[in-house]
Amino acid sequence: MDAHFLWMQQYGIDTAALQRFNPNGSEGPTRDAMAQKVRGAAEAYGRRFYVMYDVSGWTAMQSEIKTDWTNKMSAHTQSSAYALQNGKPVVCIWGFGFNDDKHAFSADACLDVINWFKGQGCYVIGGVPTWWRTGTGDSRAGFADVYHALNMISPWMVGRIGNASDADNFYTQATVPDLADCAAHGIDYQPCVLPGDVAERQRVHGDFMWRQFYNMVRTGVQGIYISMYDEYNEGNQIAKTAESQEWVPTDSGLLALDEDGTACSSDYYLRLTGDGGHAQG
């Protein structure tokens, strides 16, 4: 964690979202310990952090998320490094409205949780389906009131785009009308930018990510969510990565940043992320 937040400081990356899955499962103690480490590192390196609940597969989420916040996570809002928006501690809930069996919560249950967090004085971000606005595709129908109850909407993009043409299409079909819908309802908008999956050879030495930054910045959005910081297992990490196959363990199945034949420094995507943030002005 010290290394992660040091890199954030060095490359001008503002804030980390701390993912928190069902804390009542086997990995709960690890999640608790990591929250403390994130807090300490954020304080030490002058960065911000906030709790992002990923509710995927969390059967008793509606009651247990409230207990977890009250008994454990709310204490971290006392940190000088905890992210505030409009003077309120930030909480993100990722997974409401997705049209799959891991997110089978009713609209009423989701709305109850959002309103509860708002009642605790929180600023609530929703990590929502790509097609939240139309209630089609990856989004369940009938969730418009849930989405519009949020303070900020952040649509998911991993697995939805894989090249610059895809990014341009989504800019036209999703981002621009999404932003208009949010503006009409007084909701902030936080689009998602991804570096691309190394294993799928999507990155084209940063061109894919930079095209997304270009599209998002020209909409005038005030903040961007990067997917993801350190998710090496899914190949979408911006954290330092092997520059060439000489750095990669034999027979690991992993690729390095030069997979398309163009050399990239190990910190290339950290630098791109910082530059993308600066491009917002």
Side-chain angles (χ1 to χ4, degrees), residues 5-6 12 24 31 66 75 112 132 144 164 169 198 215 220 246-248:
F5 280 87
L6 172 61
N24 300 307
R31 295 280 172 184
K66 299 172 186 176
D112 169 67
W132 66 274
N169 289 337
V198 176
N215 284 338
E246 293 179 357
W247 294 28
V248 178

Side-chain angles (χ1 to χ4, degrees), residues 138-216:
D138 61 348
S139 174
R140 297 180 184 276
F143 271 67
D145 289 346
V146 174
Y147 302 139
H148 289 144
L150 295 160
N151 297 117
M152 173 180 274
I153 283 177
S154 186
W156 189 236
M157 288 298 290
V158 173
R160 310 307 196 257
I161 59 174
N163 56 51
S165 178
D166 290 346
D168 288 349
N169 289 337
F170 270 77
Y171 168 78
T172 301
Q173 297 173 18
T175 305
V176 172
D178 280 2
L179 192 57
D181 185 286
C182 286
H185 289 89
I187 300 169
D188 296 326
Y189 187 67
Q190 183 190 52
C192 175
V193 164
L194 50 146
D197 188 333
V198 176
E200 297 295 329
R201 302 180 187 273
Q202 294 175 341
R203 296 201 175 194
V204 287
H205 46 272
D207 286 359
F208 176 51
M209 189 179 196
W210 196 250
R211 184 68 189 186
Q212 295 171 69
F213 274 128
Y214 167 75
N215 284 338
M216 298 311 170

Side-chain angles (χ1 to χ4, degrees), residues 56-159:
S56 302
W58 190 351
T59 305
M61 177 277 305
Q62 187 176 0
S63 62
E64 291 179 355
I65 196 172
K66 299 172 186 176
T67 301
D68 183 72
W69 178 256
T70 300
N71 293 348
K72 291 184 177 180
M73 291 297 102
S74 63
H76 292 298
T77 66
Q78 301 305 308
S79 169
S80 59
Y82 200 88
L84 303 176
Q85 183 64 35
N86 304 338
K88 300 178 179 181
V90 175
V91 174
C92 180
I93 305 171
W94 194 98
F96 285 173
F98 280 83
N99 190 20
D100 60 54
D101 58 5
K102 290 185 178 181
H103 306 91
F105 314 107
S106 70
D108 286 345
C110 297
L111 192 57
D112 169 67
V113 170
I114 292 169
N115 287 331
W116 183 86
F117 272 100
K118 291 168 75 174
Q120 304 302 301
C122 296
Y123 175 94
V124 184
I125 304 173
V128 301
T130 308
W131 301 110
W132 66 274
R133 179 175 42 82
T134 58
T136 58
D138 61 348
S139 174
R140 297 180 184 276
F143 271 67
D145 289 346
V146 174
Y147 302 139
H148 289 144
L150 295 160
N151 297 117
M152 173 180 274
I153 283 177
S154 186
W156 189 236
M157 288 298 290
V158 173

